[in-house]
mmCIF file of all heavy atoms in Angstrom:
data_model
loop_
_atom_site.group_PDB
_atom_site.id
_atom_site.type_symbol
_atom_site.label_atom_id
_atom_site.label_comp_id
_atom_site.label_asym_id
_atom_site.label_seq_id
_atom_site.Cartn_x
_atom_site.Cartn_y
_atom_site.Cartn_z
ATOM 1 N N GLU A 81 85.899 195.691 129.517
ATOM 2 C CA GLU A 81 84.935 196.679 129.385
ATOM 3 C C GLU A 81 85.325 198.055 129.018
ATOM 4 O O GLU A 81 86.284 198.542 129.643
ATOM 5 C CB GLU A 81 84.139 196.832 130.770
ATOM 6 C CG GLU A 81 82.955 197.782 130.834
ATOM 7 C CD GLU A 81 81.897 197.426 129.762
ATOM 8 O OE1 GLU A 81 81.257 196.314 129.905
ATOM 9 O OE2 GLU A 81 81.655 198.368 128.883
ATOM 10 N N ARG A 82 84.730 198.579 127.923
ATOM 11 C CA ARG A 82 85.238 199.822 127.537
ATOM 12 C C ARG A 82 84.308 200.998 127.812
ATOM 13 O O ARG A 82 84.608 202.167 127.632
ATOM 14 C CB ARG A 82 85.400 199.868 125.917
ATOM 15 C CG ARG A 82 84.181 199.542 125.139
ATOM 16 C CD ARG A 82 84.424 199.290 123.629
ATOM 17 N NE ARG A 82 83.209 198.980 122.960
ATOM 18 C CZ ARG A 82 83.213 198.861 121.574
ATOM 19 N NH1 ARG A 82 84.349 199.021 120.853
ATOM 20 N NH2 ARG A 82 82.081 198.525 121.004
ATOM 21 N N ASP A 83 83.126 200.768 128.440
ATOM 22 C CA ASP A 83 82.190 201.804 128.843
ATOM 23 C C ASP A 83 82.676 202.265 130.280
ATOM 24 O O ASP A 83 82.519 201.518 131.220
ATOM 25 C CB ASP A 83 80.846 201.267 128.807
ATOM 26 C CG ASP A 83 79.818 202.260 129.258
ATOM 27 O OD1 ASP A 83 80.126 203.219 129.979
ATOM 28 O OD2 ASP A 83 78.588 202.082 128.796
ATOM 29 N N TRP A 84 83.211 203.522 130.344
ATOM 30 C CA TRP A 84 83.667 203.885 131.674
ATOM 31 C C TRP A 84 82.727 203.963 132.841
ATOM 32 O O TRP A 84 83.039 203.730 133.935
ATOM 33 C CB TRP A 84 84.330 205.263 131.535
ATOM 34 C CG TRP A 84 83.414 206.488 131.437
ATOM 35 C CD1 TRP A 84 83.159 207.078 130.213
ATOM 36 C CD2 TRP A 84 82.905 207.226 132.376
ATOM 37 N NE1 TRP A 84 82.238 208.198 130.422
ATOM 38 C CE2 TRP A 84 82.174 208.296 131.803
ATOM 39 C CE3 TRP A 84 82.866 207.061 133.762
ATOM 40 C CZ2 TRP A 84 81.407 209.236 132.553
ATOM 41 C CZ3 TRP A 84 82.127 208.115 134.507
ATOM 42 C CH2 TRP A 84 81.447 209.075 133.954
ATOM 43 N N GLN A 85 81.372 204.279 132.403
ATOM 44 C CA GLN A 85 80.372 204.322 133.406
ATOM 45 C C GLN A 85 80.112 202.884 133.952
ATOM 46 O O GLN A 85 79.810 202.726 135.276
ATOM 47 C CB GLN A 85 79.089 204.898 132.836
ATOM 48 C CG GLN A 85 79.297 206.353 132.490
ATOM 49 C CD GLN A 85 78.034 206.929 131.868
ATOM 50 O OE1 GLN A 85 77.431 206.432 130.937
ATOM 51 N NE2 GLN A 85 77.671 208.171 132.404
ATOM 52 N N LYS A 86 80.209 201.878 133.212
ATOM 53 C CA LYS A 86 80.018 200.433 133.716
ATOM 54 C C LYS A 86 81.219 200.053 134.597
ATOM 55 O O LYS A 86 81.132 199.464 135.592
ATOM 56 C CB LYS A 86 79.847 199.541 132.553
ATOM 57 C CG LYS A 86 78.628 199.696 131.784
ATOM 58 C CD LYS A 86 78.393 198.568 130.678
ATOM 59 C CE LYS A 86 77.030 198.808 129.973
ATOM 60 N NZ LYS A 86 77.002 197.820 128.848
ATOM 61 N N VAL A 87 82.425 200.580 134.145
ATOM 62 C CA VAL A 87 83.636 200.328 134.963
ATOM 63 C C VAL A 87 83.442 200.886 136.341
ATOM 64 O O VAL A 87 83.806 200.230 137.303
ATOM 65 C CB VAL A 87 84.864 200.837 134.181
ATOM 66 C CG1 VAL A 87 86.080 200.678 135.068
ATOM 67 C CG2 VAL A 87 85.102 200.045 132.919
ATOM 68 N N VAL A 88 83.150 202.148 136.337
ATOM 69 C CA VAL A 88 83.182 202.811 137.700
ATOM 70 C C VAL A 88 81.961 202.243 138.600
ATOM 71 O O VAL A 88 82.214 202.215 139.841
ATOM 72 C CB VAL A 88 83.128 204.341 137.404
ATOM 73 C CG1 VAL A 88 84.179 204.967 136.672
ATOM 74 C CG2 VAL A 88 81.699 204.856 137.016
ATOM 75 N N ALA A 89 80.872 201.832 137.954
ATOM 76 C CA ALA A 89 79.900 201.170 138.749
ATOM 77 C C ALA A 89 80.409 199.885 139.463
ATOM 78 O O ALA A 89 80.137 199.680 140.597
ATOM 79 C CB ALA A 89 78.751 200.878 137.855
ATOM 80 N N TRP A 90 81.238 199.215 138.711
ATOM 81 C CA TRP A 90 81.783 197.974 139.144
ATOM 82 C C TRP A 90 82.861 198.356 140.352
ATOM 83 O O TRP A 90 82.854 197.743 141.430
ATOM 84 C CB TRP A 90 82.518 197.171 138.113
ATOM 85 C CG TRP A 90 83.230 196.000 138.551
ATOM 86 C CD1 TRP A 90 82.751 194.838 139.262
ATOM 87 C CD2 TRP A 90 84.727 195.712 138.502
ATOM 88 N NE1 TRP A 90 83.700 194.029 139.534
ATOM 89 C CE2 TRP A 90 84.955 194.498 139.071
ATOM 90 C CE3 TRP A 90 85.722 196.474 137.888
ATOM 91 C CZ2 TRP A 90 86.185 193.923 138.978
ATOM 92 C CZ3 TRP A 90 86.954 195.906 137.800
ATOM 93 C CH2 TRP A 90 87.253 194.654 138.430
ATOM 94 N N LEU A 91 83.678 199.380 140.123
ATOM 95 C CA LEU A 91 84.711 199.760 140.921
ATOM 96 C C LEU A 91 84.177 200.210 142.335
ATOM 97 O O LEU A 91 84.863 200.140 143.422
ATOM 98 C CB LEU A 91 85.671 200.883 140.360
ATOM 99 C CG LEU A 91 86.495 200.434 139.229
ATOM 100 C CD1 LEU A 91 87.287 201.649 138.581
ATOM 101 C CD2 LEU A 91 87.500 199.254 139.582
ATOM 102 N N THR A 92 83.005 200.698 142.410
ATOM 103 C CA THR A 92 82.332 201.267 143.467
ATOM 104 C C THR A 92 81.362 200.327 144.072
ATOM 105 O O THR A 92 80.644 200.697 145.081
ATOM 106 C CB THR A 92 81.801 202.625 143.362
ATOM 107 O OG1 THR A 92 80.802 202.559 142.171
ATOM 108 C CG2 THR A 92 82.837 203.714 143.037
ATOM 109 N N GLY A 93 81.129 199.064 143.572
ATOM 110 C CA GLY A 93 80.195 198.134 143.957
ATOM 111 C C GLY A 93 80.814 197.271 145.004
ATOM 112 O O GLY A 93 81.883 197.584 145.611
ATOM 113 N N PRO A 94 80.183 196.067 145.240
ATOM 114 C CA PRO A 94 80.769 195.072 146.200
ATOM 115 C C PRO A 94 82.107 194.768 145.853
ATOM 116 O O PRO A 94 82.513 194.531 144.664
ATOM 117 C CB PRO A 94 79.733 193.856 146.030
ATOM 118 C CG PRO A 94 78.464 194.518 145.468
ATOM 119 C CD PRO A 94 78.992 195.624 144.540
ATOM 120 N N VAL A 95 82.879 194.547 146.886
ATOM 121 C CA VAL A 95 84.282 194.102 146.808
ATOM 122 C C VAL A 95 84.345 192.719 146.327
ATOM 123 O O VAL A 95 83.730 191.838 147.024
ATOM 124 C CB VAL A 95 85.111 194.245 148.032
ATOM 125 C CG1 VAL A 95 86.557 193.811 147.784
ATOM 126 C CG2 VAL A 95 85.164 195.806 148.483
ATOM 127 N N PRO A 96 85.020 192.341 145.184
ATOM 128 C CA PRO A 96 85.017 190.910 144.765
ATOM 129 C C PRO A 96 85.650 189.958 145.795
ATOM 130 O O PRO A 96 86.525 190.299 146.620
ATOM 131 C CB PRO A 96 86.026 190.939 143.572
ATOM 132 C CG PRO A 96 85.809 192.399 143.085
ATOM 133 C CD PRO A 96 85.700 193.240 144.296
ATOM 134 N N GLU A 97 85.002 188.773 145.859
ATOM 135 C CA GLU A 97 85.355 187.740 146.765
ATOM 136 C C GLU A 97 85.345 188.012 148.140
ATOM 137 O O GLU A 97 85.905 187.423 149.101
ATOM 138 C CB GLU A 97 86.785 187.256 146.417
ATOM 139 C CG GLU A 97 87.016 186.788 144.930
ATOM 140 C CD GLU A 97 88.384 186.301 144.497
ATOM 141 O OE1 GLU A 97 89.281 186.440 145.424
ATOM 142 O OE2 GLU A 97 88.700 186.076 143.337
ATOM 143 N N GLY A 98 84.549 189.090 148.546
ATOM 144 C CA GLY A 98 84.338 189.446 149.962
ATOM 145 C C GLY A 98 85.531 189.967 150.608
ATOM 146 O O GLY A 98 85.570 189.840 151.889
ATOM 147 N N ARG A 99 86.585 190.382 149.894
ATOM 148 C CA ARG A 99 87.865 190.721 150.563
ATOM 149 C C ARG A 99 87.700 192.159 151.291
ATOM 150 O O ARG A 99 86.733 192.880 150.885
ATOM 151 C CB ARG A 99 88.907 190.935 149.535
ATOM 152 C CG ARG A 99 89.168 189.649 148.729
ATOM 153 C CD ARG A 99 89.777 188.540 149.501
ATOM 154 N NE ARG A 99 89.908 187.322 148.802
ATOM 155 C CZ ARG A 99 91.070 187.035 147.967
ATOM 156 N NH1 ARG A 99 92.001 187.941 147.993
ATOM 157 N NH2 ARG A 99 91.048 185.985 147.377
ATOM 158 N N ALA A 100 88.462 192.391 152.280
ATOM 159 C CA ALA A 100 88.363 193.565 153.059
ATOM 160 C C ALA A 100 89.005 194.790 152.268
ATOM 161 O O ALA A 100 88.688 195.957 152.592
ATOM 162 C CB ALA A 100 89.168 193.432 154.346
ATOM 163 N N ILE A 101 89.977 194.512 151.431
ATOM 164 C CA ILE A 101 90.662 195.638 150.620
ATOM 165 C C ILE A 101 90.546 195.317 149.186
ATOM 166 O O ILE A 101 90.733 194.194 148.703
ATOM 167 C CB ILE A 101 92.209 195.581 151.040
ATOM 168 C CG1 ILE A 101 92.449 195.877 152.530
ATOM 169 C CG2 ILE A 101 92.959 196.670 150.260
ATOM 170 C CD1 ILE A 101 93.796 195.662 153.033
ATOM 171 N N TRP A 102 90.225 196.434 148.488
ATOM 172 C CA TRP A 102 90.257 196.401 146.994
ATOM 173 C C TRP A 102 91.182 197.333 146.488
ATOM 174 O O TRP A 102 91.025 198.513 146.519
ATOM 175 C CB TRP A 102 88.850 196.679 146.461
ATOM 176 C CG TRP A 102 88.707 196.342 144.982
ATOM 177 C CD1 TRP A 102 89.662 196.063 144.068
ATOM 178 C CD2 TRP A 102 87.518 196.459 144.230
ATOM 179 N NE1 TRP A 102 89.131 195.945 142.818
ATOM 180 C CE2 TRP A 102 87.748 196.196 142.893
ATOM 181 C CE3 TRP A 102 86.094 196.753 144.557
ATOM 182 C CZ2 TRP A 102 86.842 196.006 141.915
ATOM 183 C CZ3 TRP A 102 85.168 196.649 143.631
ATOM 184 C CH2 TRP A 102 85.486 196.388 142.345
ATOM 185 N N TYR A 103 92.408 196.857 146.049
ATOM 186 C CA TYR A 103 93.386 197.716 145.595
ATOM 187 C C TYR A 103 93.312 197.815 144.075
ATOM 188 O O TYR A 103 93.350 196.832 143.325
ATOM 189 C CB TYR A 103 94.765 197.036 145.777
ATOM 190 C CG TYR A 103 95.929 197.882 145.408
ATOM 191 C CD1 TYR A 103 96.523 198.982 146.239
ATOM 192 C CD2 TYR A 103 96.576 197.655 144.220
ATOM 193 C CE1 TYR A 103 97.572 199.767 145.791
ATOM 194 C CE2 TYR A 103 97.664 198.446 143.772
ATOM 195 C CZ TYR A 103 98.200 199.451 144.592
ATOM 196 O OH TYR A 103 99.161 200.219 144.197
ATOM 197 N N GLN A 104 93.100 199.035 143.682
ATOM 198 C CA GLN A 104 92.854 199.335 142.272
ATOM 199 C C GLN A 104 94.109 200.119 141.655
ATOM 200 O O GLN A 104 94.325 201.218 142.058
ATOM 201 C CB GLN A 104 91.583 200.159 142.038
ATOM 202 C CG GLN A 104 90.319 199.457 142.584
ATOM 203 C CD GLN A 104 89.109 200.398 142.663
ATOM 204 O OE1 GLN A 104 89.114 201.384 142.211
ATOM 205 N NE2 GLN A 104 88.095 199.859 143.278
ATOM 206 N N LYS A 105 94.750 199.584 140.676
ATOM 207 C CA LYS A 105 95.834 200.144 140.043
ATOM 208 C C LYS A 105 95.342 200.908 138.796
ATOM 209 O O LYS A 105 94.831 200.476 137.901
ATOM 210 C CB LYS A 105 96.876 199.099 139.528
ATOM 211 C CG LYS A 105 97.895 199.665 138.512
ATOM 212 C CD LYS A 105 98.603 198.432 137.836
ATOM 213 C CE LYS A 105 99.339 198.984 136.668
ATOM 214 N NZ LYS A 105 99.836 197.919 135.698
ATOM 215 N N HIS A 106 95.517 202.268 139.022
ATOM 216 C CA HIS A 106 94.963 203.212 137.908
ATOM 217 C C HIS A 106 96.103 203.928 137.322
ATOM 218 O O HIS A 106 97.012 204.405 137.949
ATOM 219 C CB HIS A 106 93.963 204.214 138.463
ATOM 220 C CG HIS A 106 92.712 203.652 138.961
ATOM 221 N ND1 HIS A 106 91.701 203.388 138.063
ATOM 222 C CD2 HIS A 106 92.182 203.354 140.183
ATOM 223 C CE1 HIS A 106 90.622 202.907 138.646
ATOM 224 N NE2 HIS A 106 90.971 202.871 139.977
#
Side-chain angles (χ1 to χ4, degrees):
E81 179 58 60
R82 59 184 179 178
D83 183 331
W84 74 264
Q85 292 178 310
K86 292 181 179 179
V87 172
V88 303
W90 176 61
L91 294 175
T92 54
V95 180
E97 301 178 4
R99 304 292 176 90
I101 299 169
W102 189 350
Y103 181 87
Q104 302 172 6
K105 169 197 169 190
H106 288 284

